[in-house]
Amino acid sequence: MKTVLITGATGDVGTHLARELAGKYKLRLSDRRPLDAKNFVRADITKMADALKITRGVDAVVHLGGYSVEGAWEEILQANIIGCYNVFEAARRNGVKRILFPTSNHAVGFYRRDQTIDDKVYPKPDSRYGVSKVFGEALGSLYSDKYGMEVFMMRIGNVGPRPLDKRRLSIWFSPRDLAQLVSIGIDRPGIKFEIVYGISGNKRAWYDNSNARRLGYRPQDDSEAFAEEILQRERPSRDAIAEAHQGGVFCTAEEVPNPAAPKKGKRK
Ligand code: 15L
């Protein structure tokens, strides 16, 4: 059984993924926030020593850790630029060949909603957060070409048991489809550097996800089952830029609430 490190394991996506993949791989979970689990190692990836500690002896890394929305540059710099570099570099130094990186729909969020984009489009980030994801994509490309690492990039939409609103009908990613795509990223032989979209088989998708299909991805879910109910309760938006572009409010907001942020005064 392969040993797989999941960073950012206490976050939303990490929690879904750890549950879905339990039993399939020997999971090592890690985060800077604590988690009460036997296979958990607490680490702060902005410190190289911690990144080296958690990547030692694993077959693959699923690097979910980082700042997950638009916010202050300093936070994004620490978590998504320095932290991301440390994880790639630590994996390389520890001889880990395969790394999966959840980039984001926000790396391409300034494409319009009336466009269909594939894995070859030039990035169009919609935020500082989106720029940090493009950095991760570029870093992965470098580590693949220069060091022969096997890099699987998933431009993830929105993971959850159900889509949240009209925009998310296009980018919804169910937990079981997430687990399927991640398993392909871990197990498929011959990966050098691939970009795929991390979404379910949504009828309303803005993406041509044929690269994921080519690699064997067969999503089981489609947000259409929720569309009627979601569209009924959707309130009209006055933000024309957000409405016209795939990244939605990330295209205009300076800050989006970060669900993973430690509560003020409770930072551990
Ligand atoms: C993301 O990249 C974020 O990590 C997540 O929190 C959601 O905001 C998601 O995009 C989205 O676009 O809904």
Side-chain angles (χ1 to χ4, degrees):
M1 192 184 270
K2 287 181 182 158
T3 301
V4 175
L5 167 68
I6 301 180
T7 67
T10 71
D12 238 26
V13 180
T15 306
H16 284 301
L17 192 61
R19 184 194 62 240
E20 296 285 328
L21 296 184
K24 184 161 189 189
Y25 306 106
K26 188 165 176 254
L27 297 179
R28 179 183 300 167
L29 308 179
S30 182
D31 208 310
R32 78 182 179 153
R33 293 179 301 181
L35 181 73
D36 191 13
K38 269 207 208 110
N39 55 346
F40 180 76
V41 186
R42 197 164 177 190
D44 176 356
I45 56 159
T46 65
K47 301 192 174 80
M48 181 58 94
D50 280 18
L52 282 166
K53 177 179 75 181
I54 56 175
T55 52
R56 200 164 295 136
V58 301
D59 297 297
V61 175
V62 185
H63 175 40
L64 300 175
Y67 199 83
S68 64
V69 284
E70 179 61 326
W73 173 243
E74 191 50 40
E75 301 247 32
I76 289 171
L77 171 67
Q78 290 299 325
N80 295 8
I81 306 287
I82 296 171
C84 180
Y85 172 79
N86 286 348
V87 170
F88 270 89
E89 177 58 14
R92 181 186 77 80
R93 288 194 211 165
N94 278 323
V96 182
K97 257 203 114 61
R98 180 119 348 164
I99 184 155
L100 285 71
F101 182 70
T103 163
S104 167
N105 69 93
H106 298 292
V108 287
F110 254 120
Y111 281 96
R112 297 182 59 86
R113 295 188 188 185
D114 53 18
Q115 281 178 282
T116 301
I117 59 172
D118 66 10
D119 56 298
K120 301 283 189 301
V121 294
Y122 197 77
K124 259 185 174 301
D126 56 24
S127 48
R128 292 176 288 278
Y129 165 68
V131 169
S132 75
K133 292 298 183 178
V134 177
F135 170 81
E137 292 186 7
L139 195 67
S141 175
L142 173 71
Y143 273 66
S144 166
D145 287 336
K146 192 162 183 173
Y147 304 115
M149 279 174 74
E150 301 170 342
V151 180
F152 193 70
M153 292 279 159
M154 299 167 288
R155 285 186 181 151
I156 291 192
N158 188 261
V159 178
R162 48 198 291 123
L164 299 172
D165 54 22
K166 187 178 82 183
R167 187 177 77 85
R168 268 73 167 241
L169 287 174
S170 299
I171 62 166
W172 179 55
F173 200 15
S174 74
R176 65 176 173 174
D177 285 342
L178 163 77
Q180 186 196 146
L181 192 62
V182 167
S183 296
I184 290 170
I186 294 170
D187 292 325
R188 180 158 173 127
I191 301 268
K192 288 194 161 65
F193 177 83
E194 298 291 347
I195 295 182
V196 295
Y197 287 92
I199 57 163
S200 286
N202 307 325
K203 183 175 157 223
R204 292 166 194 254
W206 297 307
Y207 310 129
D208 166 356
N209 210 8
S210 45
N211 198 36
R213 196 176 166 81
R214 182 182 66 80
L215 296 167
Y217 179 50
R218 300 286 180 273
Q220 291 179 272
D221 295 305
D222 180 343
S223 64
E224 209 51 26
F226 303 90
E228 199 181 321
E229 173 203 333
I230 295 226
L231 293 174
Q232 240 167 36
R233 59 160 204 256
E234 182 89 5
R235 297 272 160 275
S237 158
R238 273 184 268 158
D239 187 339
I241 294 176
E243 274 301 292
H245 295 93
Q246 298 179 1
V249 75
F250 281 65
C251 296
T252 49
E254 289 304 326
E255 207 164 322
V256 172
N258 181 10
K263 303 263 175 304
K264 283 212 166 65
K266 284 206 171 162
R267 202 166 181 141
K268 294 198 180 164

